[in-house]
Structures are given as C-alpha cells and as structure tokens.
Amino acid sequence: MVDAFDVRAELAGVEDRAGAWRFIQGFAAAWATPLTDADGWDDAALDAVEARLGITLPVAVREAYALFGRRTDLTANQDELLEPKQLHVIDGLLVFRDENQGAARWGVRLDGPDPAVCVRPDLEDEDAEHWEPWLDSFSLACVELVLSEALHAAEELADYREADEDDLEALERYARLPLPEYPSGQLPGTRWFAGLDVLVREDERSWITIRARSEEALVNACEDFGDGWLA
C-alpha cells in the first residue's frame, strides 16, 4: 500500500475514461494492492459475451473488465460487478452490477464508447420497474463502484450511522470530492468527501459512512462527527 494518494486531487483530474482508469489504478495501490496484468478478463472472455448476447460491448466496458474485472476486493465487497458469463441485457441495457440483496441492478447503455449508466430497482410489481439515470458515463460509474466497495473492504476500518444536522458542519472539515451528486437528477442524493486517509459518503442527507486507512484515522474521523456509530 502506497503512502500518499490525494483522492480529491486525483479525482479532479478525471476528465475521460483514461483518467478514470488512472484513478482506479492509483486508488487500488493506495487503499488495497496494486493492479496486475492478472486482474482483468482477456479478450476471449469479452468476445464470448458479444457472441452470446449478439451485442458490441462499449469500449469503456471492455477496458474496465480488462483492467480490474477480476478484482473482487475492489468490485464485490457489498454489491457485485458481474463476471462476463453473468452479463445480460434487459430492455436494451447491459446489466453489469447487482445490489447485494437483489434490490436493484445497474445497466449501461449500448451506444457510444463510454455511455451512461442507469439503475433499476427490483420491485414486487415488475411492470412498475424502469431504468432510472445513475451517472453520465460508465467510466465514472466504475470510479463510484470502486469507492463504494472500499467502504466495505475492511470492517475494522469503517463505521456508519444516521446523519443529523450537526453533520453538515462536520462535513465542512472535509474536502468535497468532485463527483456529481447522484443518482442523476435526484436531490438530495449521494455526496463524497475526503480527509487525510479518510473517505466519507453521505447518502440523501440521512446516512454517513466512513472508511479510513488506519484505526487512528477512523477514530479521529468518528470523533469529528460525534457519537452514535453503529459498528
């Protein structure tokens, strides 16, 4: 694990899918272990998806799966990035990620090199299900995926609780990450913040989750927000 990785500064440099892949490589090295050539799926596995489904995978999907698609510690601690053999199409979108209790799935459109991602809740009334906007590009959705899965990668270095009004003041001590508030078009949505060796995710102004790189950093961050932590 490398000593320094400024999450906010590195994320600010993400302007395209190449920038997203550089961020994920740096984040993996700092918060987990560096990526290797063995961490991705080969062309044969991805070609088989296209043949099986009769589609052409967007360039960003192929690049992501080839770079880190086998790294379950980055992609499947809570929700799951699907393996190539599990990929399927629903209403014209390629489903690539499942919520851990089956409550939702994520799909990517099949138009363009780095198309938008949508989310589809799993409802009792299937006729009421529909795709809702998530993030504007697959590569950015991969950045969000890796950050979100990092929150669940080391239970002893994470904590969570319901948010309260005082948390807005506490969040001012942290740098807001340059990710759009999402799901797209939904406010309040999810926002990300970072401090020294700390990630903070705030969901809909109602829930706070913290992940740190050390026990000391976790303790300090939890103290910033006060009592009531659940882990």
Side-chain angles (χ1 to χ4, degrees):
M1 190 167 68
V2 302
D3 290 334
F5 183 79
D6 186 334
V7 174
R8 187 184 188 285
E10 296 292 339
L11 194 53
V14 175
E15 298 179 350
D16 53 21
R17 65 179 194 270
W21 310 148
R22 286 194 299 270
F23 175 86
I24 290 171
Q25 287 176 303
F27 185 83
W31 287 75
T33 58
L35 294 176
T36 72
D37 292 341
D39 291 336
W41 294 93
D42 60 22
D43 284 339
L46 301 175
D47 291 345
V49 174
E50 295 184 333
R52 174 170 60 85
L53 298 178
I55 62 171
T56 298
L57 293 173
V59 174
V61 173
R62 291 192 71 107
E63 290 176 345
Y65 270 83
L67 180 64
F68 61 90
R70 291 179 178 270
R71 279 289 295 271
T72 56
D73 62 316
L74 298 175
T75 64
N77 297 311
Q78 172 81 356
D79 305 322
E80 180 184 8
L81 179 70
L82 300 183
E83 295 183 8
K85 67 182 180 181
Q86 298 172 304
L87 295 172
H88 57 285
V89 175
I90 297 180
D91 294 340
L93 275 76
L94 179 71
V95 178
F96 67 92
R97 187 184 183 197
D98 279 345
E99 197 271 339
N100 71 315
Q101 294 181 329
R105 64 202 69 176
W106 287 263
V108 59
R109 299 189 182 279
L110 295 172
D111 52 344
D114 195 7
V117 167
C118 299
V119 64
R120 184 184 181 109
D122 186 15
L123 304 176
E124 185 174 348
D125 180 6
E126 292 187 5
D127 292 336
E129 294 182 9
H130 63 277
W131 289 108
E132 302 170 0
W134 181 251
L135 284 165
D136 291 340
S137 70
F138 180 80
S139 60
L140 192 59
C142 286
V143 170
E144 186 279 336
L145 182 157
V146 169
L147 289 174
S148 290
E149 294 307 307
L151 299 180
H152 304 279
E155 293 184 358
E156 71 278 7
L157 296 177
D159 217 328
Y160 49 91
R161 70 166 173 77
E162 291 186 17
D164 58 39
E165 293 182 0
D166 292 337
D167 291 334
L168 295 178
E169 180 178 347
L171 283 171
E172 293 179 358
R173 306 176 194 178
Y174 292 81
R176 171 79 186 275
L177 295 187
L179 274 173
E181 194 163 348
Y182 64 93
S184 298
Q186 175 181 310
L187 295 175
T190 293
R191 303 188 298 169
W192 285 87
F193 300 81
L196 181 61
D197 290 336
V198 173
L199 287 173
V200 182
R201 191 179 74 185
E202 179 207 49
D203 295 303
E204 300 179 3
R205 311 300 191 271
S206 62
W207 198 257
I208 297 284
T209 306
I210 290 177
R211 164 74 201 282
R213 293 181 73 203
S214 68
E215 292 183 5
E216 180 182 6
L218 178 63
V219 169
N220 291 338
C222 289
E223 288 178 349
D224 285 342
F225 288 91
D227 300 328
W229 296 98
L230 300 176

